[in-house]
Amino acid sequence: MNRKIVRWIAGVVVALLVLVAIGLVLVQNHGFQHYVITKILHDVSESTNTRITIKNFSLHPAKLSIDIYGATIHGTEPDTAPPLLAADHLALGIRVVSFLHQQWNLDHLIIDHPSVNLLVDKNGNSNIPPQKQTSGSSTNIFDLAVQTAAINNGEISYNSRKSQLDAQLYGFNVKSNFNTAGHYVGSLGYDQGIVHYSDYNPLVSNFKADFDVGREGMRIH
């Protein structure tokens, strides 16, 4: 999976969670919460050329946090194919740095059992929709300063008819903390990876590593 794909998926997830949290954190009426979240989902879908749905959500105003259940992001894949991205549960918490200066960071970002399905046809076209041109600036993960981030029990599937290559990752996990030096420090890995190319025997692997990511670059141990 190349960096463009990773950035696109991460950008959509972060944008959705941040917008939902900001839009709902001070809203107490449950009916109005549904109206706000529907409007936000529509706006994010329009801006990312996707169709985003959720099954349910639970807002915790006192803790400035929200839980989202059954989130699905549809790309350009056929209706009969699995969606581009789905997750059983997403949890987001906001930590206010300064009410006066309207400064805030993400306290935690947890994604449980996400499933990514990337498809590439014979012409090299993927199910990731083209991004719309926007004049706004993109969100920087170091400005968000996510104190605790985790991806638990993820699955990634890649199928390319153009290169006769398909791959699956099972048990994908990421743990990360934002330290006082402004770095994301943690670990990542997967329990089983299977790669098929043409008629060759499949390659089976597993992987685990520690990482340290700062504005100046990334180190993998």
Side-chain angles (χ1 to χ4, degrees):
M1 192 187 314
N2 60 38
R3 293 183 180 180
K4 180 180 179 181
I5 294 174
V6 173
R7 287 197 303 267
W8 187 92
I9 295 175
V12 171
V13 172
V14 171
L16 172 62
L17 290 175
V18 171
L19 286 174
V20 169
I22 293 174
L24 298 179
V25 74
L26 297 178
V27 179
Q28 301 297 320
N29 182 275
H30 193 68
F32 191 55
Q33 288 176 5
H34 277 280
Y35 167 78
V36 173
I37 198 170
T38 301
K39 181 66 168 61
I40 290 174
L41 290 174
H42 177 268
D43 291 345
V44 176
S45 296
E46 285 289 318
S47 63
T48 57
N49 275 335
T50 59
R51 180 167 61 88
I52 302 174
T53 60
I54 65 171
K55 291 183 179 178
N56 203 356
F57 71 92
S58 179
L59 179 66
H60 315 287
K63 297 181 179 179
L64 299 182
S65 64
I66 186 172
D67 290 284
I68 298 176
Y69 304 95
T72 303
I73 299 177
H74 299 269
T76 59
E77 66 277 347
D79 292 337
T80 55
L84 173 61
L85 175 62
D88 289 350
H89 169 245
L90 301 95
L92 172 71
I94 293 178
R95 183 170 60 90
V96 177
V97 178
S98 172
F99 278 109
L100 180 62
H101 298 95
Q102 298 182 352
Q103 295 177 345
W104 58 274
N105 292 327
L106 291 184
D107 178 72
H108 61 268
L109 174 60
I110 312 297
I111 306 176
D112 292 319
H113 195 206
S115 178
V116 179
N117 293 281
L118 300 173
L119 304 174
V120 180
D121 64 20
K122 294 181 179 179
N123 297 319
N125 300 312
S126 75
N127 61 329
I128 295 180
Q131 290 185 319
K132 292 183 177 181
Q133 297 294 329
T134 59
S135 56
S137 58
S138 59
T139 301
N140 190 303
I141 62 170
F142 296 100
D143 294 334
L144 290 175
V146 186
Q147 298 301 302
T148 302
I151 297 175
N152 300 315
N153 194 27
E155 298 179 5
I156 302 174
S157 176
Y158 176 81
N159 183 279
S160 174
R161 294 186 179 181
K162 181 179 182 181
S163 59
Q164 299 182 1
L165 174 69
D166 65 87
Q168 296 84 35
L169 292 183
Y170 301 100
F172 180 73
N173 295 280
V174 178
K175 309 289 184 184
S176 173
N177 292 289
F178 193 74
N179 63 21
T180 55
H183 285 206
Y184 287 102
V185 179
S187 63
L188 60 86
Y190 57 86
D191 295 334
Q192 184 183 50
I194 305 173
V195 178
H196 299 263
Y197 177 71
S198 189
D199 295 327
Y200 293 96
N201 292 329
L203 174 65
V204 181
S205 66
N206 55 37
F207 177 77
K208 184 176 182 180
D210 297 324
F211 63 84
D212 184 327
V213 183
R215 295 180 187 268
E216 65 279 7
M218 179 177 185
R219 289 185 298 173
I220 296 287
H221 311 288

